[in-house]
Amino acid sequence: MLALDTLGPGGTYRSRRVETIRDVTGNPVATLSLAPSLYVTRAMKALRAAADLPFEPRIEALAEAGRAFATETVAGLTPEEYQHTVSTTTGLPISLVRTATADIARAAEHIRRSVENARPAGAVTSWRDPLTRSGRAVWTRRGAVFAVHAAGNHPAVHQGWLEALALGYRVAVRPSRREPFTPHRLVTALRAAGFGADRIMLLPTDHRAADDILRHADLGMVYGGADVVRKYAGDPRILPQGPGRSKILLTADADWEPVLDTLVESIGGGAGVGCVNATGILVEGDPAPVAAALAERLGALPSLPPTDERAVLPVMPLEPARRWDEHLRKLAAGTKAWLGGDGIVDDLGDGSAVLRPAIHQLDSPFADQLGRELGFPCAWIAPWEPSAGIAPLRDSLVLTAVTSDSALVDELVAEPSIANVYVGDHPTPWMAPGLPHDGYIAEFVMRTKTVLR
């Protein structure tokens, strides 16, 4: 088995307390060393005491680490071995893991663009800039140490905290115990590229010690469900990253049939496990034809083991898959099931199961289910009319609006709870380097201050 050590200030550290990580069939794959609270406290102090790495070396090191992450042997694993391990333990299709690997490398390569795009146009990066002689805004950090409680649903979530590292923060990553392989590989590559053991750390912990990581950091980012968002919503030091609840709006002036491929990609692309996957489709007019077409297309997707090159759906151990099925049945009570009404579990016969797509039709755009995001391709199709306004569209990470109503688009772009608006035939999972995901991380970790000299 693989042995994933803590990556602390003194290099690798193997605790007496380890956790076994298993693949979706139940076979052990790796052990993960869990750092105790005292070790975490010392590690966070070491991060705070570390010297700054200048901007240009940071940018160069990030690009070098991204290339190594995607193309070289890191921590004893080739890219292919790493991708196979992630696929077998998370149940994500191997093709998705390969794409995520390339996306992380691309984010690291283009990190300069991301941080420069985020900087206010009127601000400079140093008090030494000649413009400060007449008074100028200087863009500066709000702290020195940044903590991340990472998610394990998708490797690409680890693109986010690279921005904080590029901006000069020393970073502590607490990996998900479901998928620690990506952050372990990325932190190892970053250290080898020049960040060093005192500027970037991987601190696997139990829940009690996890709070210590956040307490000793200046700022932090935490991934989780609605409960995590509620827990940290009032803490100005913490940036919660919760459910995306991404949606698509189809107005009556737009024909939905030409964008059916986009609807299918929005729901099922990337195995349907991401916060950018559409979970709500709102239709002006009769939603039944849209629901029927989606059910036909998504229902034809194959059930395959995650390492099969043709796999496109998520896989998990059989018992957790059955719990998801029970949860969906309760949640969908009273709705019309176009797909998944007879169950979403497809037993592969090896202790694992594919989670099949589900399409349910609602009676109202205000139904509670429209805000429910599940860990597989599942969409709620609801009627919408202009009199309902944009209230049903709020709280969306991404909203694709297939419409020619520019006044409506004005409202959607102005709505604070909608993070991204795509107008026209664009799938909700679309992203590009240099553009914000849920705002730029820099908006949270940086500030401007006037300097006059």
Side-chain angles (χ1 to χ4, degrees):
M1 289 196 298
L2 298 171
L4 299 185
D5 295 331
T6 295
L7 303 178
T12 60
Y13 167 79
R14 187 164 300 177
S15 171
R16 285 179 293 179
R17 185 181 175 195
V18 298
E19 181 161 315
T20 299
I21 302 169
R22 299 179 184 275
D23 65 20
V24 291
T25 67
N27 293 318
V29 172
T31 58
L32 178 65
S33 178
L34 301 181
S37 292
L38 180 59
Y39 184 91
V40 166
T41 299
R42 291 174 175 170
M44 297 303 288
K45 288 181 178 178
L47 284 173
R48 191 168 299 282
D52 282 346
L53 187 66
F55 179 73
E56 288 299 332
R58 291 199 302 266
I59 298 302
E60 292 170 5
L62 275 156
E64 180 182 339
R67 287 190 293 271
F69 175 86
T71 64
E72 298 178 9
T73 297
V74 176
L77 293 180
T78 66
E80 294 75 19
E81 290 168 337
Y82 150 73
Q83 291 156 2
H84 184 271
T85 301
V86 171
S87 180
T88 58
T89 54
T90 64
L92 296 175
I94 187 71
S95 60
L96 184 155
V97 181
R98 288 199 198 100
T99 299
T101 303
D103 287 344
I104 292 170
R106 185 173 60 160
E109 180 184 1
H110 295 285
I111 198 72
R112 182 194 299 272
R113 186 194 308 174
S114 295
V115 297
E116 288 182 349
N117 285 357
R119 175 164 55 91
V124 296
T125 59
S126 170
W127 69 268
R128 292 182 172 86
D129 192 295
L131 292 173
T132 61
R133 295 187 184 279
S134 57
R136 198 73 169 187
V138 176
W139 206 39
T140 186
R141 296 193 304 267
R142 293 179 55 209
V145 178
F146 188 71
V148 182
H149 281 196
N153 64 309
H154 198 297
V157 299
H158 294 283
Q159 296 177 64
W161 55 263
L162 294 179
E163 201 170 311
L165 196 64
L167 289 165
Y169 278 84
R170 278 83 78 188
V171 176
V173 180
R174 187 229 178 192
S176 163
R177 287 185 280 179
R178 177 189 178 193
E179 201 278 272
F181 306 101
T182 298
H184 186 276
R185 182 177 181 84
L186 189 52
V187 169
T188 301
L190 287 162
R191 288 182 167 203
F195 278 96
D198 59 347
R199 294 190 181 99
I200 176 72
M201 299 186 189
L202 185 83
L203 302 176
T205 65
D206 58 20
H207 291 292
R208 183 173 60 87
D211 289 335
D212 294 335
I213 296 175
L214 291 175
R215 185 170 61 252
H216 290 292
D218 297 310
L219 299 170
M221 181 167 64
V222 178
Y223 289 84
D227 54 336
V228 169
V229 174
R230 286 192 297 269
K231 178 179 178 179
Y232 293 106
D235 190 336
R237 297 173 50 252
I238 305 300
L239 180 65
Q241 301 286 287
R245 303 187 180 97
S246 297
K247 303 178 184 71
I248 295 176
L249 173 65
L250 304 168
T251 59
D253 61 338
D255 187 359
W256 63 267
E257 291 181 334
V259 300
L260 180 58
D261 286 347
T262 291
L263 301 182
V264 172
E265 172 66 18
S266 295
I267 297 168
V273 302
C275 54
V276 291
N277 284 108
T279 54
I281 311 291
L282 294 102
V283 182
E284 185 179 1
D286 183 6
V290 178
L294 287 171
E296 181 180 2
R297 288 284 297 275
L298 291 166
L301 296 178
S303 291
L304 296 165
T307 55
D308 191 298
E309 294 294 338
R310 300 163 296 165
V312 291
L313 294 173
V315 177
M316 63 173 50
L318 183 58
E319 287 309 312
R322 287 172 173 163
R323 290 195 292 270
W324 271 116
D325 185 61
E326 293 173 6
H327 177 67
L328 176 62
R329 290 175 187 272
K330 293 177 182 178
L331 192 60
T335 69
K336 180 175 181 179
W338 288 90
L339 182 64
D342 295 329
I344 58 168
V345 177
D346 199 348
D347 189 345
L348 291 176
D350 59 0
S352 69
V354 174
L355 289 177
R356 302 286 309 164
I359 298 292
H360 289 80
Q361 184 177 332
L362 308 174
D363 294 330
S364 166
F366 300 101
D368 290 339
Q369 291 95 332
L370 201 63
R372 299 301 183 95
E373 181 177 288
L374 304 180
F376 54 93
C378 176
W380 311 94
I381 318 299
W384 179 88
E385 56 186 28
S387 61
I390 66 169
L393 305 169
R394 291 180 178 139
D395 299 314
S396 299
L397 177 59
V398 182
L399 174 67
T400 288
V402 184
T403 182
S404 60
D405 187 342
S406 58
L408 174 60
V409 175
D410 285 339
E411 286 189 77
L412 298 174
V413 173
E415 168 55 42
S417 70
I418 300 175
N420 306 288
V421 178
Y422 302 163
V423 183
D425 189 8
H426 304 291
T428 55
W430 182 89
M431 288 181 283
L435 295 177
H437 172 62
D438 188 4
Y440 290 111
I441 298 298
E443 296 173 28
F444 176 67
V445 302
M446 303 293 283
R447 58 161 295 184
T448 52
K449 59 177 67 176
T450 296
V451 174
L452 173 65
R453 63 186 178 98

